[in-house]
C-alpha cells in the first residue's frame, strides 16, 4: 500500500509520535479501519518508553469531518471496543496528545480534538457539534467534555444551536492553546510537542493522569491519592537523572524508567 493509500500515516520526530489522518478526499472522515489503526497507534505510544507524547492532525487541509457516513450506510461504526470512536474518545492514551487542526473539526472531529490534552489550530479552522441540526446528539464525548472546557452557558449554546465555532473565537475562549496562520498548525504543534518532550516522560504521563482523574476525587482524599501516583515518580531513575543533570549543568537523558 502506497503512502497515499494509507488511512493513517505514522511518523516519529524524536520523542514525538505524529499521527496523520489520511483520507483527504473524504475530509478525513472517520472509518472503522482508521479507528482501529489509531487505537493500535495509541497502544504503541503508551508502550514505548522512547516516546513522550503524540500529535494528531489531518491531511489535505482538514482535520476531521466526523464519522464516515458512507461507511455507516454499509453498517460500519468507527468504534473500537474499550476505546470508543476513533479508538480514542473513551480511553485516550496515558501520554499527552496534541491536536493540530486545519480546516473543519466537526462532530466527531471536534470530539477527537476535545479528547486531546492540547489543541493548536490554524486561524481558518472551524469547530462545531452540529448533530442537533440532523436530529442527533454528539455521542463521542462532546457533551461530556465541552462543558468542562468552556463556561457552562457558552458550551450549552454551542451544543443546542449546533453553530460553528471559528478558531479565533476558540482561542479567545482558551479552548485552543495556539492559533496560527493557515498551514502552520502542525509545525506549531510540533514546536509545542518538542518543548514538552524535553521533560521526563514518566512525569508527563503521571501529571496528565492526576489532572484528569483528580476531578472526581473526594476533597479529603486528594493528596493521599496523588501520593500513590507521585511517589513512584520520585523514586524513578528519571528523577535521579534530573537531579544529576541539574547539578552537572547538562541536558538530562531520560529513559522512561
Amino acid at each position: 500500500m502506497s503512502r497515499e493509500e494509507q488511512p493513517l500515516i505514522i511518523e516519529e520526530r524524536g520523542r514525538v509520535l505524529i499521527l496523520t489522518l489520511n483520507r483527504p478526499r473524504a475530509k478525513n472522515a472517520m472509518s472503522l479501519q482508521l479507528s482501529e489503526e489509531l487505537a493500535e497507534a495509541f497502544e504503541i505510544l503508551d508502550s514505548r518508553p522512547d516516546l513522550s507524547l503524540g500529535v494528531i492532525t489531518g491531511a489535505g487541509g482538514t482535520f476531521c469531518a466526523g464519522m464516515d457516513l458512507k461507511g455507516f450506510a454499509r453498517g460500519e461504526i468507527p468504534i473500537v471496543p474499550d476505546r470508543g470512536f476513533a479508538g480514542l474518545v473513551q480511553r485516550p492514551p496515558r501520554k499527552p496528545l496534541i491536536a493540530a487542526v486545519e480546516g473543519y473539526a466537526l462532530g466527531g472531529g471536534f470530539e477527537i480534538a476535545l479528547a486531546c490534552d492540547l489543541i493548536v489550530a490554524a486561524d481558518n479552522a472551524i469547530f462545531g457539534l452540529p448533530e442537533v441540526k440532523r436530529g442527533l446528539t454528539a455521542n463521542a464525548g462532546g457533551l461530556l467534555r465541552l462543558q468542562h472546557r468552556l463556561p457552562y452557558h457558552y458550551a450549552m449554546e454551542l451544543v443546542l444551536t449546533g453553530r460553528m465555532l471559528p478558531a479565533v473565537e476558540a482561542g479567545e475562549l482558551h479552548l485552543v492553546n495556539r492559533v496560527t496562520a493557515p498551514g502552520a498548525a502542525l509545525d506549531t504543534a510540533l514546536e509545542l510537542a518538542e518543548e514538552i518532550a524535553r521533560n521526563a516522560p514518566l512525569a508527563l504521563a503521571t501529571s496528565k493522569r492526576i489532572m484528569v482523574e483528580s476531578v472526581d476525587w473526594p476533597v479529603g482524599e486528594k493528596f493521599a491519592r496523588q501520593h500513590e501516583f507521585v511517589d513512584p515518580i520520585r523514586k524513578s531513575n528519571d528523577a535521579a537523572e534530573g537531579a544529576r543533570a541539574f547539578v552537572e549543568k547538562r541536558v538530562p537523558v531520560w529513559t522512561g524508567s
Side-chain angles (χ1 to χ4, degrees):
M1 182 183 295
S2 68
R3 179 183 173 94
E4 289 74 19
E5 296 173 322
Q6 297 173 8
L8 180 67
I9 297 173
I10 302 176
E11 302 170 281
E12 295 178 26
R13 182 176 297 188
R15 301 189 66 90
V16 182
L17 189 69
I18 306 169
L19 306 175
T20 303
L21 311 181
N22 189 41
R23 304 185 70 228
R25 285 179 292 183
K27 301 297 183 184
N28 298 320
M30 189 58 53
S31 65
L32 178 58
Q33 180 183 356
L34 182 52
S35 291
E36 292 172 340
E37 293 190 13
L38 280 167
E40 292 175 5
F42 295 135
E43 293 290 347
I44 292 170
L45 174 61
D46 277 343
S47 66
R48 283 181 46 184
D50 60 325
L51 295 172
S52 294
L53 73 159
V55 173
I56 183 169
T57 192
T62 297
F63 184 67
C64 176
M67 181 172 65
D68 182 357
L69 296 180
K70 291 182 179 179
F72 181 72
R74 295 192 300 268
E76 290 185 3
I77 301 177
I79 291 176
V80 176
D82 186 47
R83 299 203 78 120
F85 179 80
L88 170 66
V89 300
Q90 184 175 327
R91 183 165 65 88
R94 291 185 299 104
K95 295 177 182 178
L97 187 63
I98 303 174
V101 180
E102 300 272 353
Y104 289 111
L106 300 178
F110 189 15
E111 291 172 302
I112 291 171
L114 288 171
C116 295
D117 303 292
L118 302 100
I119 303 175
V120 174
D123 62 15
N124 64 347
I126 300 290
F127 301 91
L129 296 174
E131 284 84 351
V132 293
K133 293 179 178 289
R134 302 292 179 264
L136 300 170
T137 57
N139 298 329
L143 303 182
L144 303 176
R145 290 190 168 102
L146 190 61
Q147 62 179 309
H148 300 294
R149 310 295 172 79
L150 295 175
Y152 173 84
H153 293 105
Y154 203 101
M156 188 65 78
E157 176 187 333
L158 291 176
V159 168
L160 297 184
T161 63
R163 78 169 177 87
M164 302 295 100
L165 177 66
V168 173
E169 186 178 349
E172 293 170 351
L173 293 165
H174 304 293
L175 180 67
V176 169
N177 296 82
R178 306 277 192 280
V179 177
T180 76
L186 179 57
D187 287 343
T188 302
L190 288 172
E191 290 174 5
L192 180 58
E194 288 164 3
E195 179 181 354
I196 293 169
R198 288 195 286 270
N199 300 318
L202 285 179
L204 291 173
T206 299
S207 295
K208 169 181 171 173
R209 182 176 183 182
I210 292 170
M211 290 191 70
V212 171
E213 295 186 12
S214 63
V215 173
D216 297 323
W217 292 350
V219 173
E221 298 178 13
K222 284 183 182 288
F223 278 91
R225 290 200 182 187
Q226 176 180 255
H227 180 75
E228 296 175 11
F229 297 118
V230 302
D231 189 55
I233 301 301
R234 190 179 297 115
K235 298 173 181 177
S236 69
N237 293 327
D238 277 353
E241 166 64 8
R244 285 194 300 269
F246 177 79
V247 171
E248 297 168 7
K249 296 181 173 57
R250 61 173 174 82
V251 176
V253 179
W254 309 120
T255 61
S257 63

